[in-house]
């Protein structure tokens, strides 16, 4: 050593320390949300498509949605789609690319703990969903929507749905290549949009297929929301059960198999 | 008075499948600047990333600031700054946004505006990370490594792909960090960089440290020196060799450009000039060269390109 390193005083003199946890998580959640709202493709998926489908299918009779106003049938399905688009598709694609570009890796050596990062991601998903729900219900009301049922059951379904979709999305993002995640997440979105009871009632499908389709998370979520919001059911335990199983399995698998780089 | 080492790596082994990337590596880095040199694939990044807590050693021990980087990662992370070899930033984030974010994760960060100014990141404006130039991306990653006022900074090829001005700016920052008591471990392929910045240099090859010391020690120790001169083309090298001590080599590198390698001392210089006098050769541009770190490096790691 050529110079003694006494008690340092300069600009860069070490003064390490982690910020308080709540501040780190809040900062992370804000950044994640900003990134999401800034991304055009994400907005297409989370805002534009659900809005267009809601407006289009409520005003034009393309699909036979059974008795009653079509907006009453469609809105619960579109809300389920919105949850899926944010918690599953959007989160999977964003996280897949963050992994690919070393963002997750870089954050892993920052003072923010991994669970803190995951908490922030969840918060950012929830914030986005709140914005989606506000927007979509406002549009639905303007189209003559008349919802029934209690808000508590709706809230529980949305939370369980978010947990189920997040688990599956993170599982995909943490195991596949980013490009594969991009392709697969979009494909799954499209397939579930058609086959998950979102706009096409499941009783239009053959009985055999229907039995399987009913077990999909998006079907359980749209069916549950529909039971409450369209038919005024108290608490659709069956659908909650299906979502809870998906949530436990998905989150456990994501926790086990997720690779950070 | 020497404080305890900032990094202590003992008999580190790290494999990827059947490929052994780090093969019993020992490295002790004291406070100050340590440069890790080595050819592509030598295991520099693997070693550094093991110190950062990203990889669990297959065997051996790693201590950074006295802590186990995997088991005591929570304690260690706030105290170190990390610049990855590439990436690490949200593709849609602006430079200042990302830097401010990393600052928010620390208790006593540097003044972000001053750092942006210093590293010339102000001109990035509202451009997203994906569209920044390679050099701007590198400087942002460097800023992110130091913004939390760490005790120890790991920089994996901090000046790869930088223009000369940006390289100087990075060197100046490393010097200031050192002066203010921050230790730096950096990897590089530029010998000049190691000579300029490092108190200590470790040369890694095939997953092991094959030489370590100050740049001066490395250039002195073991390495031969060189004597060069120009004369008329086609001199009789065999005859010259006979005149020289047995352990010397001589070669005509390009027509008329000669090089004698060996222990270059006044006696050797006299031998060469008298041989020239005997053969009627005027040795133009005769010069004695001290070995650079680059010579040492090539000597130790071989001159062929590795796969
Ligand atoms: N994630 C990985 N999976 C498999 N092999 C890897 C992985 N990372 C590195 N390797 C292999 O381990 C060896 C050491 O790689 P490492 O990245 O540590 O080298 P390096 O000295 O940093 O090289 P460079 O100068 O090119 O950055 C190389 O042979 C590389 O192919
Ligand atoms: Mg490397």
């Amino acid at each position: 050593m050529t110079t003694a390193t006494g008690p340092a005083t300069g600009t860069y003199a070490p003064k390490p320390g982690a910020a308080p946890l709540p501040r780190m998580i809040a900062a992370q959640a804000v950044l994640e949300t900003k990134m999401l709202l800034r991304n055009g493709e994400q907005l297409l998926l989370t805002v534009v498509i659900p809005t267009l489908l809601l407006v289009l299918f409520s005003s034009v009779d393309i699909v036979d949605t059974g008795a009653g106003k079509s907006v009453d049938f469609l809105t619960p399905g579109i809300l389920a789609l919105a949850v899926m688009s944010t918690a599953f598709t959007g989160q999977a694609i964003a996280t897949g690319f963050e992994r690919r570009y070393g963002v997750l890796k870089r954050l892993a050596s920052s003072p923010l703990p991994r669970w803190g990062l995951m908490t922030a991601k969840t918060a950012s998903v929830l914030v986005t969903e709140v914005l989606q729900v506000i927007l979509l219900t406002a549009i639905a009301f303007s189209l003559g929507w008349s919802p029934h049922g209690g808000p508590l059951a709706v809230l529980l379904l949305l939370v369980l749905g978010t947990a189920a979709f997040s688990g599956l999305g993170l599982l995909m993002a943490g195991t596949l290549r980013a490009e594969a995640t991009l392709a697969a997440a979009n494909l799954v979105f499209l397939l579930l949009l058609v086959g998950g009871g979102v706009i096409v009632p499941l009783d239009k499908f053959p009985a055999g297929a229907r039995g399987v389709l009913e077990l999909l998370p998006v079907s359980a979520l749209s069916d549950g929301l529909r039971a409450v919001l369209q038919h005024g059911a108290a608490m659709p335990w069956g659908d909650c059960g299906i979502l809870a199983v998906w949530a436990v399995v998905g989150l456990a698998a994501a926790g086990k198999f997720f690779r950070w780089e | 008075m020497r404080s305890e080492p900032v990094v202590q790596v003992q008999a580190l082994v790290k494999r990827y499948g059947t490929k052994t990337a780090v093969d019993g590596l020992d490295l002790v880095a004291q406070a100050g600047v340590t440069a890790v040199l080595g050819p592509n694939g030598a295991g520099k990044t693997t070693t550094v990333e093991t110190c950062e807590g990203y990889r669990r050693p297959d065997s051996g021990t790693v201590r950074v600031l006295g802590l186990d980087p995997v088991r005591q990662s929570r304690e260690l992370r706030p105290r170190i700054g990390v610049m990855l070899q590439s990436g690490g930033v949200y593709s849609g984030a602006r430079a200042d946004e990302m830097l401010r974010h990393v600052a928010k994760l620390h208790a006593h960060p540097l003044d972000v505006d001053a750092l942006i100014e210093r590293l010339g990141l102000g001109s990035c404006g509202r451009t997203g990370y994906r569209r920044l130039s390679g050099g701007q991306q590198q400087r942002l990653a460097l800023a992110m490594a130091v913004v939390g006022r760490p005790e120890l900074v790991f920089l994996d090829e901090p000046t790869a792909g930088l223009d000369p001005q940006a390289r100087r700016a990075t060197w100046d920052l490393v010097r200031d960090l050192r002066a203010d008591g921050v230790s730096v471990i950096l990897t590089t392929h530029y010998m000049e960089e190691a000579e300029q910045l490092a108190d200590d240099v470790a040369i890694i090859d095939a997953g092991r440290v094959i030489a370590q010391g100050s740049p001066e020690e490395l250039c002195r120790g073991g390495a031969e020196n060189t004597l060069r001169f120009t004369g008329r083309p086609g001199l009789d090298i065999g005859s010259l060799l006979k005149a020289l001590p047995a352990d010397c080599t001589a070669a005509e590198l390009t027509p008329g450009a000669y090089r004698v390698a060996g222990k270059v001392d006044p006696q050797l210089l006299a031998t060469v000039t008298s041989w020239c006098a005997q053969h009627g050769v005027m040795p133009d541009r005769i010069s004695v060269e001290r070995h650079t770190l680059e010579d040492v490096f090539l000597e130790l790691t071989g001159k062929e390109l590795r796969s």
Side-chain angles (χ1 to χ4, degrees):
Chain A
M1 299 309 100
T2 49
T3 53
T5 44
T9 48
T11 318
Y12 303 101
K15 200 169 179 188
L21 254 171
R23 209 175 87 198
M24 286 198 272
I25 295 176
Q28 187 65 37
V30 168
L31 185 70
E32 298 262 341
T33 312
K34 266 200 229 166
M35 292 301 113
L36 207 138
L37 296 178
R38 193 176 292 167
N39 184 311
E41 294 98 68
Q42 295 277 22
L43 286 182
L44 181 71
L45 212 64
T46 54
V47 177
V48 179
I49 292 181
T51 305
L52 278 182
L53 290 175
L54 179 60
V55 173
L56 185 71
F57 285 92
S58 315
S59 29
V60 190
D61 239 348
I62 308 174
V63 194
D64 175 14
T65 53
K69 280 181 293 180
S70 52
V71 68
D72 288 342
F73 172 86
L74 281 167
T75 306
I78 295 294
L79 290 176
L81 181 74
V83 169
M84 175 169 80
S85 70
T86 299
F88 174 73
T89 323
Q91 183 163 228
I93 295 171
T95 309
F97 279 97
E98 284 161 20
R99 179 167 152 251
R100 149 78 165 276
Y101 291 129
V103 181
L104 299 183
K105 182 172 175 179
R106 177 60 187 79
L107 288 173
S109 65
S110 80
L112 178 70
R114 285 180 178 184
W115 67 264
L117 174 60
M118 285 306 163
T119 308
K121 282 192 170 295
T122 306
S124 141
V125 165
L126 291 176
V127 167
T128 313
E129 287 180 358
V130 168
L131 297 177
Q132 287 175 300
V133 169
I134 292 173
L135 176 77
L136 292 170
T137 52
I139 294 173
F141 278 122
S142 75
L143 292 168
W145 182 41
S146 40
H148 304 271
L152 214 67
V154 173
L155 202 66
L156 179 70
L157 282 162
L158 292 178
V159 167
L160 283 173
T162 303
F165 283 123
S166 293
L168 297 171
L170 292 173
L171 175 64
M172 198 176 237
T175 51
L176 303 181
R177 279 185 311 113
E179 289 77 9
T181 298
L182 177 67
N186 279 318
L187 184 69
V188 169
F189 178 82
L190 208 67
L191 290 178
L192 293 188
L193 168 62
V194 177
V198 173
I199 39 179
V200 185
L202 282 185
D203 52 26
K204 301 269 185 257
F205 289 87
R210 192 180 152 178
V212 178
L213 292 180
E214 274 172 347
L215 296 177
L216 294 172
V218 71
S219 314
L221 183 55
S222 45
D223 188 69
L225 288 173
R226 209 163 271 141
V228 180
L229 291 168
Q230 191 178 11
H231 305 298
M235 183 66 84
W237 290 112
D239 293 317
C240 287
I242 295 176
L243 290 174
V245 169
W246 278 106
V248 169
V249 172
L251 290 170
K256 184 156 171 48
F257 298 113
F258 197 95
R259 292 199 316 265
W260 290 76
E261 39 172 309
Chain B
M1 195 181 67
R2 267 199 161 184
S3 47
E4 79 169 283
V6 291
V7 169
Q8 272 180 299
V9 176
Q10 264 167 19
L12 174 66
V13 174
K14 183 67 208 169
R15 295 184 198 90
Y16 299 108
T18 55
K19 158 102 205 159
T20 304
V22 174
D23 188 13
L25 181 137
D26 295 294
L27 178 68
V28 176
Q30 306 290 343
V33 179
T34 303
V36 177
L37 284 169
N40 288 135
K44 301 181 296 296
T45 298
T46 305
T47 303
V48 166
E49 290 191 352
T50 309
C51 294
E52 292 160 348
Y54 286 117
R55 309 184 189 289
R56 207 177 281 274
D58 288 320
S59 67
T61 56
V62 176
R63 290 290 174 276
V64 176
L65 302 175
L67 301 171
D68 179 325
V70 177
R71 285 195 301 110
Q72 292 166 301
S73 131
R74 235 188 99 114
E75 272 171 81
L76 181 61
R77 279 183 279 125
R79 299 174 59 188
I80 61 172
V82 168
M83 175 180 180
L84 300 174
Q85 191 166 352
S86 66
V89 181
Y90 290 86
S91 59
R94 298 189 301 264
D96 68 314
E97 191 173 42
M98 189 69 200
L99 190 56
R100 274 177 225 290
H101 176 64
V102 177
K104 281 196 198 119
L105 304 180
H106 293 269
H108 318 282
L110 294 176
D111 178 26
V112 173
D113 292 309
L115 193 56
I116 286 178
E117 173 83 6
R118 160 136 208 197
L119 288 173
L121 288 167
S123 61
C124 301
R126 302 189 60 80
T127 316
Y129 178 75
R130 202 176 8 185
R131 285 189 240 287
L132 294 180
S133 79
Q136 290 170 328
Q137 294 183 345
Q138 288 282 87
R139 278 176 277 156
L140 172 57
L142 174 65
M144 285 163 58
V146 302
V147 75
R149 300 185 65 176
E151 291 163 58
L152 170 63
V153 180
F154 292 98
L155 308 175
D156 199 352
E157 300 197 23
T159 61
L162 293 187
D163 66 34
Q165 286 80 3
R167 171 162 302 153
R168 303 280 149 180
T170 301
W171 288 3
D172 287 342
L173 181 61
V174 170
R175 290 192 184 107
D176 286 357
L177 289 169
R178 179 180 181 281
D180 287 350
V182 182
S183 292
V184 179
I185 311 278
L186 62 88
T187 72
T188 180
H189 290 286
Y190 301 106
M191 313 303 142
E192 193 197 351
E193 186 159 297
E195 285 186 296
Q196 289 280 337
L197 297 179
D199 300 298
D200 201 27
V201 177
I203 299 182
I204 297 190
D205 192 20
R208 291 164 172 273
V209 172
I210 54 170
Q212 188 175 0
S214 70
E216 297 76 31
E217 280 164 3
L218 284 178
C219 293
R220 221 185 306 123
E224 313 170 306
N225 287 343
T226 311
L227 187 153
R228 292 171 195 276
F229 64 94
T230 53
R232 60 166 191 274
L235 294 178
D236 182 355
I237 297 290
S239 150
L240 173 60
L241 272 175
K242 273 197 207 105
L244 293 171
D247 56 353
C248 283
T249 61
E252 185 172 2
L253 299 176
T254 56
Y258 298 89
R259 186 191 63 192
V260 175
K263 188 168 174 299
V264 178
D265 53 13
Q267 185 54 52
L268 186 84
L269 187 59
T271 309
V272 171
T273 47
S274 65
W275 181 86
C276 287
Q278 280 161 27
H279 292 78
V281 176
M282 175 63 205
D284 276 330
R285 285 199 252 147
I286 189 157
S287 66
V288 174
E289 284 170 16
R290 187 183 78 100
H291 270 208
T292 63
L293 204 47
E294 178 142 8
D295 299 321
V296 178
F297 180 80
L298 289 174
E299 209 165 279
L300 288 169
T301 60
K303 294 196 169 61
E304 312 83 51
L305 202 58
R306 314 297 180 80
S307 56

